[in-house]
Amino acid sequence: MKTKGNIAISESGFLFDPTTGESFTFNPVGLEIFNYLKEEKSLGEITEIMTEKYDIDANNFERYYYDFTSMLNQYHLLENE
Amino acid sequence: MKMSKIDITIGITGLNNTDNPGPGVPVIRGIKESEVFNPRIIGLAYENLEPGVYMEGLLDKTYLIPYPSEGTEVFLERIEYVHSKEKFDLIIPNFDAELFTFMKAAEKLSSLGIHTFLPTLEQYEERNKSNLPEYGRKYGLSVPESIDITSHSDILKFDKDKDFDYPLMVKGKFYDAHIAYNEEQITSNFNKISAKWGLPVILQEFVKGTEVNVVALGDGKGNTIGAVAMRKQYITDKGKAWGGITIDDPKLIEITHKIMRETKWRGGMELELIRTNSNEYYIIEINPRIPAWVYLAVGAGQNLPEALIKLAMGMEIEPYTEYKKGIMFVRYSYDIICDLKKFETLSINGEL
């Protein structure tokens, strides 16, 4: 999964998509995952980091992850592969 | 060595900065920021309460002019009178409804030494809302279907199975657009719009998606001198942008270049398009003038009002190819405390 190339995201979690003019706000966890996606980390890698860092197991994390990425997809923030 | 600025006297209409704002004030703001011109701005107002007239530091002089609907002769007489006092180099008309008169009078104005930079009558007519589907077919652009309504009996002839389905847009020939979900709503909008803007009223197929706009300037030879794309972020009940942001949409700019190239458009233009979820673009309107949000283009690096003056005055011009993306504007309303004397002078003498 890859984030769209031209979008700008600030440290505060404010994202601007220059193609559509839409802006979005991420909470800190959303921002963290988004940045991992930007770095082109795999689901396995992200799951490992998140389960180590936070009190969540892999199954539950993946559920939230797919929920989150389907929302990113819906707002056209991911590249079509 | 710094070049001295060129003195220029410019007549400008569209000073109605109301909730349906004219482009006059933002055009003037762009011109005043010019590095090339030292402008003397003559406001041409249709009403004595147009807010631009009362804004400090905006106009050097104001004259009331008659509505073009009062007849071309009366209108031109007044322009000639103002010209005899002010010696215009150039007039920039900013209303759709007055453009026809200015275009027809362009030669006469030119013989008086007044420059304009307007589309030809043919260019103006073919992008009319009524002619838009034909325009789309001619230039290979996607345009929603539409039909003209000139009477109540035309509404009865509209067939949702044969023409296009509800919801649809009911539009005035110059301004106004309302959505209609059934025949009753078409009728009530037809009555309202035709009373205000005359006939025909246009029924246009509704296209679902996000509205995106472009302000552009064509040199009349097929070149795009500038183009800035924007998405409205905040829309008033009149459909006007109260906030907007420049966007990076190469396809939108490509469509603009294609239109400029193929129609050899001369002057300012506003394109209104719908971008569907599947990234298709439908042109819903082409306005034959600079829009009221043009100051966003100036803020994003393209001073299109200044460029329009250069074109009108036959000066050399380098096309803009870039603009800053993610630049926003937010409009505001503001109460100006006015001296009654100003209102009195304009009302009694027709000039201020």
Side-chain angles (χ1 to χ4, degrees):
Chain A
M1 215 164 289
K2 214 175 148 193
T3 60
K4 218 162 86 179
N6 61 345
I7 48 182
I9 184 155
S10 73
E11 284 174 12
S12 64
F14 181 81
L15 179 145
F16 173 63
D17 180 352
T19 313
T20 61
E22 298 272 7
S23 54
F24 306 87
T25 318
F26 288 119
N27 66 18
V29 179
L31 174 65
E32 189 176 348
I33 297 173
F34 191 83
N35 280 330
Y36 293 144
L37 289 170
K38 237 181 142 181
E39 291 164 16
E40 298 186 41
K41 284 194 171 23
S42 67
L43 169 61
E45 287 172 304
I46 300 174
T47 308
E48 205 181 311
I49 298 169
M50 297 303 279
T51 48
E52 248 174 56
K53 200 167 167 189
Y54 300 99
D55 183 17
I56 190 165
D57 61 61
N59 277 345
N60 268 318
F61 173 73
E62 278 182 26
R63 198 159 47 85
Y64 288 122
Y65 172 87
Y66 282 119
D67 195 26
F68 180 62
T69 50
S70 72
M71 200 187 289
L72 294 178
N73 219 359
Q74 191 191 326
Y75 289 118
H76 305 287
L77 297 173
L78 299 177
E79 293 280 14
N80 290 327
E81 287 178 19
Chain B
M1 195 178 77
K2 209 177 169 191
M3 294 245 296
S4 60
K5 289 188 182 181
I6 302 165
D7 289 332
I8 192 163
T9 301
I10 310 169
I12 291 189
T13 66
L15 304 168
N16 55 324
N17 252 37
T18 59
D19 59 344
N20 183 8
V25 173
V27 165
I28 295 168
R29 289 181 70 198
I31 295 170
K32 282 187 179 269
E33 287 180 21
S34 169
E35 299 284 332
V36 181
F37 300 106
N38 176 34
R40 178 171 154 74
I41 307 285
I42 311 301
L44 302 171
Y46 290 103
E47 301 280 348
N48 49 17
L49 271 176
E50 290 184 19
V53 174
Y54 300 92
M55 289 170 69
E56 282 299 328
L58 191 75
L59 305 173
D60 293 286
K61 192 93 202 261
T62 307
Y63 290 86
L64 281 179
I65 55 171
Y67 277 104
S69 55
E70 287 177 37
T72 310
E73 235 168 79
V74 188
F75 182 78
L76 276 178
E77 257 175 42
R78 182 66 177 162
I79 297 288
E80 276 186 62
Y81 166 77
V82 182
H83 182 51
S84 72
K85 299 262 184 194
E86 304 294 341
K87 299 280 175 282
F88 290 125
D89 293 301
L90 164 72
I91 295 182
I92 305 178
N94 287 307
F95 279 128
D96 295 22
E98 70 188 1
L99 275 186
F100 191 77
T101 308
F102 273 104
M103 283 185 302
K104 286 202 96 165
E107 241 174 73
K108 164 92 180 156
L109 293 172
S110 171
S111 72
L112 295 168
I114 306 173
H115 293 79
T116 51
F117 200 73
L118 303 169
T120 63
L121 278 168
E122 195 193 355
Q123 289 172 336
Y124 175 83
E125 282 299 333
E126 74 172 356
R127 55 85 255 165
N128 244 335
K129 281 179 207 173
S130 305
N131 302 332
L132 211 51
E134 184 53 41
Y135 186 91
R137 280 187 282 275
K138 184 173 170 188
Y139 296 112
L141 302 160
S142 301
V143 169
E145 282 305 317
S146 69
I147 50 173
D148 286 5
I149 298 286
T150 51
S151 66
H152 282 111
S153 62
D154 282 349
I155 300 175
L156 298 175
K157 280 187 222 154
F158 172 72
D159 182 345
K160 76 176 176 63
D161 298 318
K162 207 172 93 236
D163 297 311
F164 38 86
D165 205 353
Y166 292 107
L168 51 83
M169 298 305 294
V170 188
K171 294 186 161 188
K173 64 176 171 176
F174 295 126
Y175 296 106
D176 249 354
H178 299 276
I179 196 162
Y181 291 88
N182 53 46
E183 196 181 304
E184 286 70 36
Q185 289 178 348
I186 296 181
T187 305
S188 99
N189 286 314
F190 171 81
N191 291 339
K192 266 188 259 173
I193 293 172
S194 59
K196 198 164 176 192
W197 300 111
L199 295 169
V201 168
I202 296 108
L203 301 187
Q204 191 180 65
E205 187 184 2
F206 180 80
V207 183
K208 198 163 177 276
T210 307
E211 186 183 331
V212 283
N213 304 70
V214 182
V215 54
L217 182 62
D219 70 352
K221 295 173 192 153
N223 302 307
T224 306
I225 298 302
V228 174
M230 179 272 283
R231 189 179 73 89
K232 295 176 183 176
Q233 289 177 300
Y234 190 165
I235 302 175
T236 68
D237 56 356
K238 285 198 165 69
K240 305 293 160 191
W242 201 260
I245 189 160
T246 57
I247 54 174
D248 181 15
D249 190 334
K251 197 165 172 201
L252 203 48
I253 299 298
E254 189 188 307
I255 292 171
T256 309
H257 281 259
K258 180 181 161 74
I259 290 174
M260 292 293 179
R261 193 169 55 240
E262 294 195 7
T263 68
K264 295 190 167 48
W265 185 261
R266 193 170 184 272
M269 174 188 269
E270 181 193 26
L271 285 171
E272 296 182 8
L273 301 99
I274 299 288
R275 180 173 54 206
T276 65
N277 271 344
S278 47
N279 263 343
E280 289 171 303
Y281 292 76
Y282 285 85
I283 299 178
I284 52 169
E285 245 171 72
I286 300 178
N287 294 318
R289 47 152 180 86
I290 286 175
W293 57 271
V294 67
Y295 193 70
L296 178 67
V298 180
Q302 295 197 7
N303 193 335
L304 299 182
E306 180 198 64
L308 187 137
I309 300 174
K310 286 185 182 169
L311 286 171
M313 302 309 288
M315 294 166 67
E316 269 196 37
I317 188 161
E318 201 50 47
Y320 288 110
T321 52
E322 278 302 320
Y323 60 91
K324 285 179 243 162
K325 318 298 185 318
I327 299 291
M328 271 177 64
F329 80 91
V330 180
R331 281 202 180 123
Y332 67 105
S333 64
Y334 183 86
D335 306 327
I336 308 169
I337 303 302
C338 309
D339 187 347
L340 179 63
K341 199 76 195 156
K342 276 190 176 176
F343 180 73
E344 179 193 323
T345 309
L346 189 62
S347 306
I348 301 290
N349 302 334
E351 51 193 86
L352 177 69

